[in-house]
Amino acid sequence: MKKTWWKESVVYQIYPRSFADSNGDGIGDLRGIISKLDYLKDLGVNVVWLSPVYRSPNDDNGYDISDYRDIMPEFGALADWEELLTEMHRRGIKLVMDLVVNHTSDEHPWFIEARKSRDNPYRDYYIWRPARDGREPNNWQSFFSGSAWQYDAPTGEYYLHLFSRKQPDLNWENPRVRAEIYDMMHWWLKKGVDGFRMDVINMISKAPGLPDAPVTSGERYQFGGRYFVNGPRLLEYLDEMKRTVLSHYDVLTVGETPLVSTAHAIDITNEETGHLNMLFQFEHMDLDAEPGAASSRASIRPWRLLDLKQVMTRWQKDLEGHGWNSLYLSNHDQPRAVSRFGNDGRYRVESAKLLATFLHTLQGTPYVYQGEEIGMTNVAFESIEDYRDIETCNMYREYVEERGYDPQAVLATIHAKSRDNARTPVQWDAGAQAGFTSGTPWIKVNPNYRTINVAQALADPDSILHYYRRLIQLRKENPIIVYGRYELILDADEQVYAYTRTLPDDRLLVILNFSADTPVFALPGHIGFSAHDLLIANYPVEPSDDIRLLTLRPYEARVYRLR
Ligand code: GLC
Ligand code: CA
């Protein structure tokens, strides 16, 4: 397997609006990020992925871009961004920018032009269709509720928006659109950015004719994914992007790709013939929703460890030697990992460390989402008024006002799944507003900031934060953590997730108790060794422990080197 810097990296994701506010307006900003770079340097991460900082009316917090070549004034100016890049590079940290090119804002100059007349030169930058029988051109549902089509009165046609109506989809069939995007990518790369995270990049190619989605529920609009996810021209576009842009730079590229199979992932991430370094797949994010639910956000069920093992093992094994995995347990669209996959009550610290161990010891590039390294948890605002996320607010309105669901039941789902769980401000200290801002934050801080915060974590040698730091360090010192072959053991155990990592001359054993119980771990006999060294653990461990037979403590995690 080829060795590359982006395989050996640990990426830290910043959602700028919620990270650190430097000027008291309640909104995180670029100077806020600059003020925390030493913190990131000490944590040991060597790449930062910035969620969008481009000019945007913020219908979807920056994922609706109105100018690809300028910074959102609330976040600062281009000069602040240049300084951020310089200060990051000075500390050996690379910068990956978000690339949102499935859609723009409806306030982007291209769209402002496009909607003026049917023969405007920019009309064909977007996807326009006439009404069908006086209604939308097809039955597709938007990810953010309602129809994926918006009627535009001035020209009497509908435009497609898979997300909000302020996020019209770009028409990738138009070579001028593609050329504009490639130019823009060159522009940022020439400024020195070190890569891109590509927003819903596997939705850029829509099936010809935009056929109706199959009707699977009694709802008015239906999920049309089969006609726009992994569409017919996707690989052609990615190929062109690679040839025209990416192949000219040594960069990290990661595609956000819902509903992707390992076969697609191998096509896209293959080192010789692929297009991107790695993808964000979603299978493990769907384990706590009913299978086939119209929206995994509106559905909750307990997840099962056997399913997690099965999904992760398939991704590990299928991509081994053929592609490359990205590893993540949370991001700005997902609930907090410790609340979802661990235990955010009594065993918050232990289970957050267990999840960290899991994240860092699989094969792939780990992504740490801001606040995860101190074990930030989900939030449960009592009123929908306190939520800010467009997806959450639209979903509430649709379920409560249109479908007549019980508001308390809908709120319970929101508490478990809302994207705002990840978007409450980073908890820096126990002071007012968690040290995030001297003003009023754009979204309320999680009330648990008095006990869960960075200042506390820095002061406590046993904190989750220091544990992340040690894991990141271990990864730098042990190539086996990056490159070793993954082998699941005890595949039928419902509480313990254990695996080995192997290189020709080295082997690791990872033992993870994903439960609040005290199960017995019995090492399968075929795993021979004569001695073992503990690399890391989340409880005090006796060197004399017999690792062939261990009674594990709640959420206990241990990593051994076998000799
Ligand atoms: C991606 C982003 C999400 C955004 C959506 C539309 O899924 O991660 O935050 O709302 O795309 O751009
Ligand atoms: Ca600010």
Side-chain angles (χ1 to χ4, degrees):
M1 197 181 299
K2 242 196 260 151
K3 301 202 163 179
T4 64
W5 65 266
W6 44 266
K7 290 179 183 167
E8 296 169 12
S9 293
V10 175
V11 184
Y12 186 91
Q13 184 193 351
I14 291 183
Y15 192 71
R17 207 172 186 77
S18 305
F19 189 67
D21 173 23
S22 70
N23 63 352
D25 67 354
I27 298 171
D29 48 49
L30 297 182
R31 305 217 70 84
I33 300 173
I34 294 173
S35 74
K36 302 295 184 188
L37 288 178
D38 288 333
Y39 167 75
L40 296 179
K41 171 86 190 148
D42 288 348
L43 180 58
V45 299
N46 60 313
V47 178
V48 163
W49 150 29
L50 266 194
S51 274
V53 295
Y54 313 96
R55 195 177 273 271
S56 161
N58 280 307
D59 191 51
D60 186 20
N61 288 355
Y63 284 93
D64 49 319
I65 295 169
S66 55
D67 186 345
Y68 285 110
R69 302 185 196 213
D70 202 0
I71 300 296
M72 183 184 316
E74 289 168 315
F75 288 176
L78 203 51
D80 299 306
W81 182 87
E82 303 272 5
E83 187 179 329
L84 173 65
L85 182 67
T86 308
E87 288 300 315
M88 286 177 57
H89 283 171
R90 212 160 63 76
R91 290 170 177 81
I93 300 175
K94 293 181 188 278
L95 174 58
V96 167
M97 296 284 277
D98 220 305
L99 186 77
V100 188
V101 290
N102 174 68
H103 44 268
T104 68
S105 162
D106 66 338
E107 298 180 34
H108 193 289
W110 298 338
F111 192 76
I112 294 174
E113 283 301 310
R115 77 197 322 180
K116 281 184 182 162
S117 68
R118 291 194 195 185
D119 56 9
N120 187 282
Y122 288 91
R123 183 73 169 180
D124 201 31
Y125 273 42
Y126 296 88
I127 301 171
W128 297 91
R129 293 290 183 276
R132 188 180 62 179
D133 308 327
R135 286 192 46 179
E136 297 90 0
N138 72 22
N139 68 350
W140 294 0
Q141 179 183 57
S142 148
F143 284 103
F144 293 162
S145 301
S147 170
W149 294 94
Q150 175 67 30
Y151 182 71
D152 206 45
T155 54
E157 283 190 326
Y158 290 80
Y159 64 84
L160 179 70
H161 61 90
L162 295 181
F163 294 89
S164 102
R165 67 173 66 105
K166 288 184 66 63
Q167 292 167 300
D169 279 55
L170 282 165
N171 176 18
W172 274 71
E173 309 250 325
N174 181 347
R176 282 175 58 210
V177 167
R178 307 203 298 272
E180 297 254 23
I181 290 168
Y182 304 149
D183 274 359
M184 177 268 285
M185 292 172 73
H186 276 297
W187 192 79
W188 286 104
L189 289 162
K190 290 199 179 113
K191 282 188 175 296
V193 313
D194 303 291
F196 292 112
R197 173 270 187 188
M198 303 186 183
D199 194 67
V200 290
I201 197 66
N202 62 336
M203 302 194 190
I204 57 179
S205 165
K206 278 82 176 170
L210 311 178
D212 271 329
V215 176
T216 56
S217 72
E219 305 307 330
R220 180 154 177 190
Y221 304 110
Q222 304 285 325
F223 180 60
R226 71 164 68 182
Y227 298 120
F228 60 77
V229 180
N230 309 314
R233 297 184 66 184
L234 173 64
L235 295 185
E236 174 195 333
Y237 297 153
L238 291 179
D239 217 57
E240 185 182 68
M241 182 191 282
K242 177 182 175 182
R243 238 180 314 114
T244 318
V245 187
L246 299 172
S247 60
H248 303 282
Y249 307 85
D250 177 24
V251 288
L252 183 160
T253 51
V254 52
E256 188 209 23
T257 51
L259 297 169
V260 76
S261 67
T262 57
H264 294 125
I266 291 167
D267 281 343
I268 298 176
T269 69
N270 184 277
E271 255 168 74
E272 267 71 54
T273 55
H275 318 93
L276 305 176
N277 299 151
M278 55 193 131
L279 302 179
F280 292 126
Q281 61 88 12
F282 281 74
E283 286 190 57
H284 59 313
M285 294 289 124
D286 294 333
L287 297 178
D288 56 358
E290 295 299 336
S295 151
S296 65
R297 204 75 71 183
S299 162
I300 0 180
R301 67 153 193 193
W303 64 279
R304 291 184 302 254
L305 185 64
L306 293 186
D307 293 338
L308 182 69
K309 287 185 186 183
Q310 189 250 321
V311 164
M312 298 310 277
T313 300
R314 178 155 39 76
W315 279 87
Q316 290 286 298
K317 300 307 290 177
D318 287 6
L319 266 59
E320 161 94 42
H322 300 294
W324 190 250
N325 271 297
S326 75
L327 308 167
Y328 74 100
L329 295 173
S330 60
N331 61 38
H332 66 294
D333 292 330
Q334 300 295 337
R336 289 287 177 177
V338 70
S339 300
R340 187 182 206 177
F341 296 110
N343 175 319
D344 63 8
R346 177 160 175 209
Y347 298 114
R348 186 184 66 87
V349 172
E350 292 81 358
S351 66
K353 290 178 182 173
L354 167 122
L355 293 170
T357 314
F358 181 49
L359 180 74
H360 286 86
T361 59
L362 291 170
Q363 191 182 76
T365 301
Y367 288 71
V368 177
Y369 178 65
Q370 66 183 37
E372 179 188 316
E373 76 279 15
I374 57 165
M376 279 180 63
T377 69
N378 281 354
V379 73
F381 296 133
E382 276 164 31
S383 161
I384 189 67
E385 301 298 316
D386 287 333
Y387 285 89
R388 296 286 172 270
D389 170 27
I390 180 171
E391 182 192 51
T392 303
C393 297
N394 286 359
M395 186 186 102
Y396 183 87
R397 203 172 330 112
E398 180 185 330
Y399 279 75
V400 174
E401 289 166 23
E402 290 165 32
R403 302 200 199 175
Y405 277 57
D406 169 20
Q408 286 313 314
V410 178
L411 265 182
T413 314
I414 288 173
H415 292 164
K417 292 276 181 86
S418 169
R419 306 196 296 182
D420 278 341
N421 283 307
R423 299 177 182 186
T424 63
V426 170
Q427 296 163 202
W428 294 104
D429 59 44
Q433 308 299 354
F436 164 72
T437 178
S438 58
T440 308
W442 69 277
I443 185 170
K444 285 187 176 169
V445 298
N446 189 318
N448 64 20
Y449 73 89
R450 288 188 189 82
T451 47
I452 303 172
N453 61 66
V454 170
Q456 182 283 329
L458 285 170
D460 173 4
D462 267 342
S463 67
I464 300 165
L465 177 64
H466 288 299
Y467 192 87
Y468 266 81
R469 195 181 276 182
R470 285 167 57 207
L471 278 167
I472 294 169
Q473 195 53 36
L474 277 177
R475 189 182 163 83
K476 289 182 186 155
E477 292 160 2
N478 295 278
I480 187 170
I481 298 181
V482 180
Y483 297 107
R485 203 177 67 238
Y486 163 100
E487 218 67 68
L488 180 68
I489 55 176
L490 305 175
D491 57 332
D493 194 310
E494 292 174 9
Q495 294 177 310
V496 180
Y497 190 162
Y499 46 92
T500 55
R501 300 290 309 279
T502 308
L503 283 180
D505 53 357
D506 198 8
R507 191 155 45 141
L508 299 184
L509 169 66
V510 181
I511 307 169
L512 306 167
N513 172 16
F514 267 83
S515 79
D517 294 339
T518 54
V520 170
F521 166 82
L523 186 69
H526 72 270
I527 300 185
F529 62 96
S530 52
H532 58 269
D533 311 311
L534 185 74
L535 249 59
I536 192 165
N538 63 350
Y539 281 87
V541 162
E542 293 300 325
S544 59
D545 276 352
D546 175 7
I547 65 166
R548 288 178 205 279
L549 200 63
L550 283 175
T551 301
L552 298 172
R553 289 159 285 189
Y555 295 99
E556 180 159 11
R558 301 186 186 196
V559 182
Y560 285 102
R561 167 165 280 125
L562 303 182
R563 287 188 285 123

